[in-house]
Amino acid sequence: MYYFPFGQKLHPLIQEDKSPKKVFVLGVYASAVHARWINNGKIICQALAVASEPRIFWDGNLVEAKNIISSIKIPEELGKLEPAGKNLNGPSAKVLNENILAPLGFTRENAWLCDCLPETRLNSSQAKVIREKYDPLIEKYQLNPVTIPLRPSSFCTKERSDEITEELFKSKADLLILLGDIPIGQYLKKVSDISYSTLGEYVELYGYGTRTKVTIKNKEFDVLPLAHPRQIGALGTHSEKWFCAHKKWEEKMHF
């Protein structure tokens, strides 16, 4: 069992609605609920990962965020937690809904959502904040150690690939959308005979936003590799190339 700062247990995020869907979306790894940590009017951390999201590709609903964060108890001397800025919880879900599913004529209700790794992991900046701001307080205030692993380079083991394929078949979807390089190289490359390993290679062969066919366990699917929501939504550090490519695709889809 892994733990967040201030004690919440990590749990996997999987598709809850198991009814047949039109599209299967495969992302990279689950995100988390982020809180702003404030003490004596000073911001200790703008976006501290403090809990697993309530569902896969959570949209950052503020009421839910407040309820989750208010349930986390921290010593009075360490200040308080409040929801992080509105763009720091659920931004990928908003991109998925508005910039990927909507142009295709789908809603969330039409989609089966999945990640190569169904749990959140810490990136280097998150780990640095915990190491510098949280860890020195553990002994004095009897806080729990943070045990969530760092973001790995490998998200999709053979066992996990088999689980994803099982979900794909359960979904009854005919269209498989892959978000960025990792679902292509770490999932599709393992389960299908394809000649590309990255989005860049796919685009060179077929063009951005073009559907092609793949065969997985003797069943044919339409596949649509697209940029990761971080790129599509210009969320922090991103590639202008993929941002522009996706924007052009959206404009084309609206005609």
Side-chain angles (χ1 to χ4, degrees):
M1 179 64 69
Y2 297 134
Y3 290 89
F4 287 94
F6 302 114
Q8 294 295 298
K9 294 179 181 179
L10 177 73
H11 61 78
L13 300 178
I14 59 174
Q15 176 73 15
E16 295 175 355
D17 175 6
K18 301 297 200 301
S19 62
K21 302 300 177 187
K22 295 179 179 179
V23 58
F24 188 97
V25 179
L26 182 60
V28 181
Y29 69 115
S31 188
V33 178
H34 292 87
R36 182 185 291 113
W37 179 9
I38 301 175
N39 195 8
N40 292 322
K42 179 183 177 182
I43 296 175
I44 308 301
C45 179
Q46 284 281 11
L48 184 69
V50 292
S52 294
E53 292 186 327
R55 57 189 164 277
I56 189 169
F57 279 94
W58 177 56
D59 65 0
N61 179 278
L62 184 57
V63 172
E64 289 181 313
K66 286 180 177 178
N67 288 338
I68 292 166
I69 292 167
S70 66
S71 72
I72 300 170
K73 305 306 179 186
I74 76 172
E76 186 175 341
E77 301 93 324
L78 299 185
K80 63 179 182 178
L81 300 176
E82 61 183 33
K86 63 179 182 179
N87 294 326
L88 298 173
N89 277 317
S92 290
K94 295 167 189 172
V95 171
L96 174 66
N97 295 344
E98 298 171 11
N99 305 103
I100 296 175
L101 295 177
L104 290 165
F106 299 133
T107 64
R108 281 284 291 260
E109 287 68 32
N110 303 135
W112 186 297
L113 307 178
C114 185
D115 280 313
C116 290
L117 180 62
E119 298 177 348
T120 195
R121 292 293 183 262
L122 298 178
N123 62 37
S124 58
S125 62
Q126 291 168 331
K128 183 174 185 289
V129 166
I130 290 168
R131 186 171 62 250
E132 294 179 356
K133 305 294 185 180
Y134 181 88
D135 288 352
L137 304 172
I138 288 176
E139 185 174 355
K140 181 177 180 180
Y141 294 98
Q142 297 183 314
L143 305 175
N144 64 284
V146 178
T147 53
I148 298 172
L150 291 171
R151 183 186 188 276
S153 57
S154 178
F155 293 86
C156 203
T157 62
K158 171 64 168 61
E159 180 183 11
R160 180 59 186 153
S161 295
D162 291 341
E163 291 173 351
I164 293 168
T165 298
E166 185 178 347
E167 282 196 52
L168 174 60
F169 276 76
K170 280 182 180 178
S171 75
K172 307 295 184 185
D174 295 317
L175 173 61
L176 170 60
I177 295 177
L178 305 172
L179 302 180
D181 288 344
I182 289 172
I184 297 171
Q186 296 193 24
Y187 172 68
L188 191 61
K189 188 77 173 178
K190 290 179 180 176
V191 300
S192 183
D193 183 20
I194 56 174
S195 61
Y196 49 90
S197 300
T198 66
L199 180 61
E201 291 173 358
Y202 184 90
V203 169
E204 284 185 12
L205 290 169
Y206 307 109
Y208 188 86
T210 303
R211 298 190 195 192
T212 58
K213 302 286 187 181
V214 296
T215 300
I216 301 172
K217 291 184 67 173
N218 299 317
K219 177 175 170 57
E220 189 175 72
F221 296 89
D222 283 344
V223 64
L224 178 58
L226 295 172
H228 188 274
R230 171 176 286 276
Q231 317 298 349
I232 294 170
L235 305 175
T237 303
H238 66 281
S239 163
E240 193 67 16
K241 170 188 173 182
W242 294 127
F243 173 79
C244 293
H246 191 86
K247 191 172 183 180
K248 289 179 181 177
W249 174 77
E250 280 193 78
E251 291 169 353
K252 183 173 70 174
M253 294 298 293
H254 285 308
F255 283 100

